[in-house]
């Protein structure tokens, strides 16, 4: 195996990194456009010039093609497609599961993928549909695992991917992931998620992906199979997905759909082209609609915005602003918002992967209270050493008779003045206090008081906060300032 993965920057459970396949390097997160040799909408060479470092194509299509089969074997995929980056080949499992009978064996597809000089070879996994019962999912998974082991035994030197299946059953997903981890795979696609994404089941997607991530090593490069719409990339990266493959750029173009990072629009309904790519700046909406090259031009635009979103995500990870980007993107569809809330419900898991310091924390409403930084802050704060009498001062003013005075910043909670300049307190921007964030800060106070049973705490706050404090912190001594 000559696949390796190296993480550079982290944010939430997302990361930027480098996937090395032989002597080739793919910067991650990355998008692999799906290339179909029968539908040459954008040449792979042109994609390369747009910054594409890897693509994915389907071995099954090549194997059944009278036009391309022999050429692929003789010339190899790189020459045939005229692409010198990384080429991943899919086994066609997914097509087979959608379109019918299996006419290919695991050994055949593995042999063929190597014969056409694929850089990353995928065994014939079984994508279990979300509606399958547990027993079916378990049986499918057992076959998938058997094929992965067979692939390893037959071709110990191949650059094999280890797909993670298991349907919607989180224990099966975690077990499958642990099994491929134990087999030593550094590259793992998470499969059978297309039907979840197509039906906007983002909450289930979160459960399935996080279950798989729990079983995998953090050093594994994770590909989310079949995820091609940029509106959910940031969200998926936050969970720890590193690669996506997109047929959407082409499929949407065929249907006259114009992709934006916020969602897709029908070209027929557009009066303007709100994008900076050369297609959108070179044509009016009307000209694009009427162009004989409309499908290709639309595909070019779609691919441009998809790649730009990947670049934006990489930058956000370096800056530590991925939560803000996720928040932005997930507000564009109520089902994505539901997925985002599910993600926040797993903040305690995600916190373990998150980095220590970030450029900033912008409060963007109630969801921000659930962020990993808040979870971590409240865990950390309960560990500070304190005297016998402690005042938590909302307005920053001290009072006689206390050993320590802590300040208070919602949504985080109480903190010693020495931490005023450190992340997240010092680099967070919050609007005027609202109930939601102050309640969240009170949860921080509860953690602190629970961790110091021998200390007497008091809160000093303005009269406006008194009812909320009484509700959130019953029994706590309160010094109310009339202001
Ligand atoms: N493409 C989309 N989903 C899948 C999957 O689960 N397995 C494979 N091999 N390819 C896919
Ligand atoms: Zn454009």
């Amino acid at each position: 195996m000559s696949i390796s993965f190296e993480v550079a920057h982290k944010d939430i459970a997302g990361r930027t990194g480098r996937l090395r396949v032989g002597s080739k390097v793919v910067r991650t997160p990355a998008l692999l456009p799906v290339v179909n040799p029968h539908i040459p909408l954008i040449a792979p060479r042109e994609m390369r010039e747009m910054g594409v470092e890897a693509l994915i194509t389907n071995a099954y299509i090549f194997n059944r093609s009278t036009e391309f089969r022999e050429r692929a074997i003789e010339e190899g995929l790189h020459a045939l497609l005229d692409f010198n980056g990384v080429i991943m080949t899919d086994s066609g499992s997914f097509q087979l599961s959608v379109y019918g009978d299996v006419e290919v064996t695991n050994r055949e597809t593995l042999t063929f993928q190597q014969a056409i000089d694929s850089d990353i070879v995928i065994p014939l996994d079984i994508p279990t549909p979300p509606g399958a019962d547990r027993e079916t999912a378990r049986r499918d998974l057992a076959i998938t695992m058997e094929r992965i082991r067979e692939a390893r035994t037959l071709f110990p030197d191949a650059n094999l991917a280890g797909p993670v299946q298991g349907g919607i059953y989180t224990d099966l997903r975690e077990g499958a992931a642990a099994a491929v981890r134990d087999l030593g795979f550094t590259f793992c696609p998470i499969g059978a998620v297309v039907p979840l994404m197509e039906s906007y089941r983002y909450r289930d997607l979160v459960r399935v992906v996080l279950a798989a991530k729990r079983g995998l090593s953090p050093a594994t490069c994770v590909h989310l199979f079949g995820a091609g719409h940029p509106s959910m990339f940031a969200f998926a990266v936050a969970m720890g997905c590193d690669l996506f493959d997109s047929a959407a750029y082409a499929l949407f173009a065929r249907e006259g759909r114009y992709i934006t990072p916020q969602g897709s629009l029908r070209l027929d309904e557009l009066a303007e082209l709100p994008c900076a790519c050369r297609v959108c700046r070179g044509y009016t909406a009307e000209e694009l609609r009427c162009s004989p090259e409309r499908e290709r031009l639309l595909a070019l635009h779609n691919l441009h915005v998809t790649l730009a979103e990947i670049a934006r995500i990489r930058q956000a990870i370096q800056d530590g602003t991925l939560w803000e980007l996720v928040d932005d993107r997930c507000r564009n569809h109520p089902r994505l918002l539901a997925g985002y809330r599910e993600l926040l419900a797993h903040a305690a898991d995600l916190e373990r992967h998150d980095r220590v310091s970030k450029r900033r924390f912008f409060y963007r409403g109630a969801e921000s209270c659930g962020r990993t930084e808040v979870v971590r802050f409240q865990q950390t704060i309960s560990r500070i050493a304190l005297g016998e009498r402690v005042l938590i001062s909302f307005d920053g003013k001290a009072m006689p008779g206390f050993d320590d005075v802590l300040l208070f910043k919602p949504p985080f909670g109480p903190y010693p003045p020495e931490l005023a300049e450190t992340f997240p307190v010092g680099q967070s921007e919050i609007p005027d206090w609202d109930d939601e964030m102050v309640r969240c800060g009170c949860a921080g106070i509860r953690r602190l008081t629970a961790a110091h049973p021998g200390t007497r705490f008091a809160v000093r706050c303005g009269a406006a906060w008194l009812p909320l404090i009484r509700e959130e912190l019953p029994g706590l001594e309160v010094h109310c300032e009339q202001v």
Side-chain angles (χ1 to χ4, degrees):
M1 288 261 282
S2 62
I3 303 182
S4 68
F5 183 56
E6 179 190 314
V7 171
H9 301 276
K10 299 197 288 182
D11 195 3
I12 322 177
R15 53 271 183 97
T16 62
R18 280 169 192 276
L19 176 69
R20 281 176 212 279
V21 185
S23 60
K24 295 169 190 162
V25 178
V26 181
R27 287 172 301 145
T28 68
L31 172 89
L32 285 64
V34 175
V35 169
N36 183 336
H38 295 293
I39 312 172
L41 219 45
I42 305 173
R45 173 186 280 276
E46 200 175 348
M47 291 178 179
R48 191 88 172 103
E49 284 157 11
M50 290 166 76
V52 169
E53 292 175 318
L55 58 78
I56 181 165
T57 188
N58 204 306
Y60 183 73
I61 294 177
F62 278 93
N63 201 4
R64 290 172 51 118
S65 162
T66 43
E67 191 181 351
F68 294 114
R69 187 176 191 282
E70 298 311 316
R71 274 189 63 202
I73 294 170
E74 272 158 38
E75 299 171 28
L77 282 179
H78 297 83
L80 195 160
L81 294 174
D82 189 19
F83 184 77
N84 61 9
V86 168
I87 301 181
M88 189 187 317
T89 45
D90 200 351
S91 49
S93 308
F94 195 68
Q95 281 69 19
L96 294 173
S97 76
V98 174
Y99 304 117
D101 251 9
V102 182
E103 290 166 18
V104 62
T105 66
N106 190 39
R107 182 196 286 262
E108 275 163 13
T109 182
L110 292 166
T111 306
F112 183 71
Q113 289 178 62
Q114 291 175 88
I116 60 179
D117 205 18
S118 166
D119 292 307
I120 303 180
V121 169
I122 303 176
L124 195 69
D125 56 327
I126 302 182
T128 305
D133 63 28
R134 202 191 146 76
E135 186 47 29
T136 306
R138 200 194 53 73
R139 247 185 289 126
D140 285 354
L141 177 58
I143 298 171
T144 295
M145 290 312 306
E146 196 39 57
R147 290 178 182 171
I148 294 172
R149 286 193 204 92
E150 180 185 47
R152 257 299 164 74
T153 311
L154 291 174
F155 307 104
D157 300 326
N159 290 333
L160 287 170
V164 177
Q165 297 287 351
I168 55 162
Y169 303 96
T170 50
D171 57 329
L172 295 182
R173 287 282 185 174
E174 187 172 343
V180 292
R181 177 198 63 207
D182 292 344
L183 288 168
F185 283 93
T186 42
F187 182 85
C188 293
I190 297 178
V193 288
V194 170
L196 295 179
M197 295 184 286
E198 280 175 350
S199 53
Y200 299 92
R201 290 171 63 179
Y202 294 112
R203 290 175 58 183
D204 290 318
L205 184 70
V206 169
R207 292 178 187 141
V208 159
V209 170
L210 291 184
K213 287 288 293 188
R214 280 196 295 277
L216 294 172
S217 153
T220 299
C221 184
V222 175
H223 175 168
L224 193 63
F225 253 146
H229 201 291
S231 62
M232 54 85 66
F233 287 174
F235 169 70
V237 167
M239 296 191 263
C241 299
D242 305 296
L243 295 188
F244 304 96
D245 59 279
S246 175
Y249 77 96
L251 297 175
F252 280 49
R254 173 169 301 177
E255 292 165 12
R257 296 179 70 84
Y258 181 92
I259 292 179
T260 83
Q262 288 81 23
S264 14
L265 307 164
R266 289 168 48 86
L267 181 59
D268 290 345
E269 291 169 0
L270 283 179
E272 298 289 336
L273 301 177
C275 165
C277 87
R278 64 188 156 86
V279 173
C280 298
R281 300 291 36 94
Y283 292 78
T284 66
E286 186 58 27
E287 284 164 359
L288 185 55
R289 261 194 294 279
C290 301
S291 167
E293 275 207 293
R294 164 191 153 132
E295 186 178 338
R296 175 183 140 74
L297 292 169
L298 202 45
L300 271 174
H301 156 82
N302 287 345
L303 190 55
H304 262 120
V305 294
T306 304
L307 294 169
E309 180 70 356
I310 291 284
R312 195 175 286 116
I313 290 168
R314 288 193 201 140
Q315 185 65 45
I317 292 172
Q318 291 197 37
D319 290 343
T321 55
L322 186 58
W323 270 127
E324 279 85 353
L325 186 58
V326 171
D327 189 90
D328 246 7
R329 295 302 182 242
C330 290
R331 285 179 197 281
N332 292 302
H333 195 289
R335 301 289 290 272
L336 258 179
L337 183 58
Y340 174 32
R341 289 180 175 159
E342 179 69 23
L343 186 65
L344 288 165
H346 295 268
D349 289 340
L350 300 171
E351 180 276 326
R352 287 195 286 273
H353 302 278
D354 206 357
R355 68 205 243 179
V356 175
S357 185
K358 305 189 181 190
R359 187 181 186 123
R360 62 166 191 243
F361 177 114
F362 275 2
Y363 186 85
R364 298 166 67 103
E367 278 75 19
S368 299
C369 294
R371 284 174 53 160
T372 41
E373 298 91 338
V374 178
V375 170
R376 180 175 296 168
F377 181 86
Q378 296 190 348
Q379 284 168 3
T380 312
I381 210 67
S382 60
R383 292 198 293 267
I384 57 175
L386 292 171
E388 282 169 23
R389 293 272 291 137
V390 173
L391 180 70
I392 299 167
S393 175
F394 277 30
D395 63 2
K397 293 198 180 113
M399 283 165 57
F402 292 94
D403 302 316
D404 292 297
V405 177
L406 301 181
L407 307 176
F408 182 82
K409 184 167 189 181
F412 306 106
Y415 65 95
E418 306 88 82
L419 294 187
E421 305 295 322
T422 64
F423 186 83
V425 170
Q427 286 77 36
S428 48
E429 292 280 349
I430 60 173
D432 291 344
W433 294 11
D434 59 38
D435 283 12
E436 198 80 44
M437 66 165 97
V438 175
R439 281 186 203 282
C440 182
C442 288
I445 297 179
R446 283 198 298 274
R447 277 197 83 116
L448 184 70
T449 57
H452 295 83
T455 298
R456 268 187 67 194
F457 287 91
V459 167
R460 175 191 156 96
C461 70
W465 293 112
L466 192 61
L468 189 149
I469 297 288
R470 291 256 184 262
E471 205 182 302
E472 291 289 326
L473 306 163
L476 200 73
E477 181 182 325
V478 182
H479 298 268
C480 191
E481 300 308 308
Q482 301 295 336
V483 280

